Amino acid sequence: MQLPRFDFLQPRSLQEACSILREGNGKVSVLAGGTAFMVALRSRLHTPSAVISTKALSELSYIREASDGGLVIGAMTTLEALENSPLVANGYAVLGQAARFVGVPPIRHVATVGGNLCLDTRCIFYNQSEFWRKARPDCFKLGGDVCHAIDKGRRCLAVYQGDLAPALVALGARVRIVGVSGEKVIPLTQFYTGNGEKPNVLEPGDILAEVQIPPSSGNTWGGYEKLRVREGMDFPLAGVAVSIKTNANGAIDQARLVLGAVAPSPLEVPEATELLVGQKLTDSLLESVAQKAYDRARPVANLAVDASYRRKMVRVLVKRAIGRAVSGNG
Amino acid sequence: MNKIPVSLNVNGREENLEIPPHKTLLEVIRDDLNLTGTKCGCEDGTCGTCTVLLDGAAVRSCLLLAAEVQGHEIVTIEGLADGERLHPVQQAIVNHGGVQCGFCTPGMILSAKALLDKQPSPTESVVRQAISGNLCRCTGYTKIVESIMALSGQPVSS
């Protein structure tokens, strides 16, 4: 099926891109890697009057050590660059793992960090052809006033299915957002709204330009695990990212556990941090942490796999992710 | 309908086209350049049968706008053979029975070429990962992997 008609714009700078977006006031869309957005265009989930391709904005493609010893990553950095980066592998392993879990090599060659973080939320009643969607009244996400996933549902719980965001939240990342009237840096947790209809805080004219990760110390370990239908390529049906820092005695100094694909935004499990910090890892502690993650995760029946199975798998994936982190494979 | 000028380098030839901006690379390759070796499958990035090489790397041509890839080198399956002489990956696929219905074959061959150009002696697991984005609904993976492994000089596990 052909794409809907639109004009094609190729701005030469980030500022020019922001101006075009602002003037477009919601009718102009950013096309980054395009591996998800082209599919949304084809099924007419978006019908912009113009798309601006940011592929030529090489100023946004970099992975560098920051002045504070952390890491900064440009929004147009490809996932392939991320998975192959020695800077990422050295201290930010959970991010490299999460990148490797996205799609397949040809997808990761073009898909970008910014695009992955700005992924729209997804639902089996939303990500369908126009023909399929027209057979039912419009749901909340399509501008209507009904939810097809939950009986008498009052708000949209479409799922944020990005793999990078849980890993980056576990690493305490911030994002730099550039707009027409300036720029701001906010924690990645505040970038997501928790609202399935509008998953992030970007307004027309805003572009997510950079990811900033705080410095990592030598004893930081990471693990990412995901549930998917096929091992080869799929969005996560549940994802777990963990970042753990141990001290010289082998006890845990810092820990962050973040779930993906069980809610409209990445979901942190603060109870896991409380349980883990100050402790050495044992099987029974792992079991308690997995239980806390299970308690937090409340997936609903809006993806291709049963919600209760996704929830049960959160428990399993937490144990695998922590196991992967502490075994040093992360 | 408004059209824009787009210059593409496909299989070493400069093509100067006037196309609507919403046209994908896949549509231009098949409909404007009549290079129908590149197949159209799922159109959502899942199947990999539209694979082409973009500056030597395997990509999905259904997920790229033609206008986005100006100035880059594109190679389709038609660009591999040297006259009547098949490219080594094509010949290996023929020799080892790597073709069943043939619909995934162009994409498989280009994914394999992209890998072997970068890494001439990959292990079987690297080969399997490199073609993980190409679905074969005849499920003829074993013979396809054997074909590529014959070029790698590495042992096949089974």
Side-chain angles (χ1 to χ4, degrees):
Chain A
M1 182 184 281
Q2 290 204 332
L3 295 170
R5 287 177 194 181
F6 48 71
D7 286 328
F8 177 77
L9 305 166
Q10 220 164 9
R12 268 177 237 104
S13 72
L14 186 56
Q15 272 313 319
E16 190 189 343
C18 291
S19 304
I20 299 169
L21 281 177
R22 179 64 165 272
E23 282 159 30
N25 195 24
K27 296 299 290 173
V28 177
S29 300
V30 175
L31 181 63
T35 52
F37 193 65
M38 288 283 277
V39 180
L41 284 171
R42 195 168 270 127
S43 49
R44 272 67 180 164
L45 289 170
H46 302 281
T47 48
S49 60
V51 302
I52 58 173
S53 170
T54 49
K55 284 195 182 71
L57 291 182
S58 51
E59 64 185 271
L60 291 182
S61 177
Y62 54 85
I63 304 174
R64 284 197 289 262
E65 199 169 313
S67 50
D68 67 354
L71 204 61
V72 286
I73 303 170
M76 287 305 292
T77 305
T78 65
L79 302 186
E80 181 186 273
L82 206 58
E83 67 174 305
N84 293 329
S85 161
L87 281 175
V88 171
N90 185 17
Y92 311 93
V94 62
L95 182 58
Q97 288 176 35
R100 217 162 287 130
F101 270 107
V102 179
V104 286
I107 297 284
R108 298 197 288 274
H109 185 71
V110 285
T112 65
V113 171
N116 194 272
L117 293 179
C118 296
L119 274 179
D120 196 3
T121 47
R122 302 171 58 84
C123 171
I124 37 168
F125 296 96
Y126 176 74
N127 295 91
Q128 296 286 355
S129 68
E130 194 176 24
F131 175 79
W132 194 100
R133 295 194 308 267
K134 287 277 176 254
R136 294 164 182 262
D138 282 351
C139 69
F140 290 122
K141 197 164 169 63
L142 288 167
D145 54 3
V146 61
C147 175
H148 302 305
I150 305 158
D151 192 26
K152 301 195 180 72
R154 293 222 191 122
R155 65 189 185 101
C156 177
L157 290 172
V159 184
Y160 176 73
Q161 286 185 280
D163 288 296
L164 298 189
L168 284 167
V169 171
L171 291 169
R174 300 175 300 264
V175 286
R176 184 160 65 91
I177 297 168
V178 176
V180 181
S181 52
E183 60 177 68
K184 59 184 173 186
V185 177
I186 59 170
L188 184 57
T189 47
Q190 289 174 23
F191 179 70
Y192 296 104
T193 61
N195 173 0
E197 284 176 54
K198 185 183 181 308
N200 63 55
V201 300
L202 292 182
E203 295 295 338
D206 289 344
I207 289 182
L208 190 161
E210 183 180 84
V211 178
Q212 305 175 346
I213 310 176
S216 136
S217 71
N219 291 334
T220 304
W221 313 102
Y224 184 78
E225 288 286 342
K226 98 189 226 188
L227 173 69
R228 50 186 166 174
V229 175
R230 291 172 300 170
E231 212 178 306
M233 114 169 230
D234 263 324
F235 284 104
L237 299 159
V240 174
V242 64
S243 177
I244 289 178
K245 180 172 175 271
T246 52
N247 62 27
N249 302 325
I252 295 167
D253 265 353
Q254 288 172 23
R256 284 184 92 167
L257 181 70
V258 186
L259 309 181
V262 290
S265 64
L267 194 64
E268 201 171 349
V269 187
E271 298 86 353
T273 304
E274 288 163 25
L275 281 174
L276 287 166
V277 170
Q279 305 294 318
K280 286 189 180 178
L281 207 59
T282 60
D283 284 349
S284 68
L285 179 59
L286 200 53
E287 204 63 55
S288 317
V289 170
Q291 180 61 38
K292 293 293 182 192
Y294 175 86
D295 293 343
R296 275 261 160 198
R298 295 287 172 85
V300 296
N302 56 3
L303 296 182
V305 161
D306 181 65
S308 67
Y309 174 63
R310 284 163 58 210
R311 192 173 181 208
K312 283 176 190 157
M313 280 305 289
V314 165
R315 203 198 304 253
V316 176
L317 296 175
V318 166
K319 290 191 238 176
R320 283 187 197 159
I322 295 179
R324 186 198 278 259
V326 296
S327 72
N329 290 333
Chain B
M1 195 192 305
N2 71 323
K3 292 189 174 184
I4 55 170
V6 169
S7 305
L8 295 179
N9 181 322
V10 180
N11 300 332
R13 279 182 48 168
E14 285 296 329
E15 307 279 359
N16 298 308
L17 305 158
E18 293 271 328
I19 55 165
H22 66 271
K23 223 163 179 187
T24 63
L25 178 59
L26 173 64
E27 287 161 350
V28 167
I29 287 171
R30 286 183 58 86
D31 304 342
D32 295 78
L33 304 179
N34 294 319
L35 297 171
T36 53
T38 307
K39 304 302 178 203
C40 174
C42 67
E43 289 193 301
D44 71 5
T46 307
C47 76
T49 195
C50 69
T51 300
V52 299
L53 301 184
L54 177 68
D55 298 329
V59 295
R60 310 284 206 231
S61 62
C62 76
L63 296 182
L64 289 165
L65 294 175
E68 287 184 294
V69 295
Q70 294 195 81
H72 297 271
E73 281 182 19
I74 295 143
V75 173
T76 69
I77 192 68
E78 290 88 348
L80 257 55
D82 178 9
E84 289 295 301
R85 209 171 73 229
L86 293 179
H87 183 275
V89 181
Q90 293 173 309
Q91 192 60 55
I93 290 268
V94 171
N95 293 352
H96 294 265
V99 179
Q100 290 188 43
C101 86
F103 201 76
C104 74
T105 310
M108 285 285 184
I109 289 174
L110 288 167
S111 287
K113 174 175 159 45
L115 169 70
L116 292 167
D117 285 350
K118 250 188 359 190
Q119 206 175 331
S121 301
T123 60
E124 184 180 335
S125 113
V126 172
V127 166
R128 285 184 179 274
Q129 278 181 35
I131 60 167
S132 61
N134 297 83
L135 298 185
C136 168
R137 284 305 77 184
C138 310
T139 69
Y141 296 107
T142 301
K143 292 290 174 192
I144 294 166
V145 171
E146 281 174 13
S147 310
I148 304 168
M149 291 308 291
L151 296 169
S152 82
Q154 297 277 333
V156 184
S157 66
S158 45

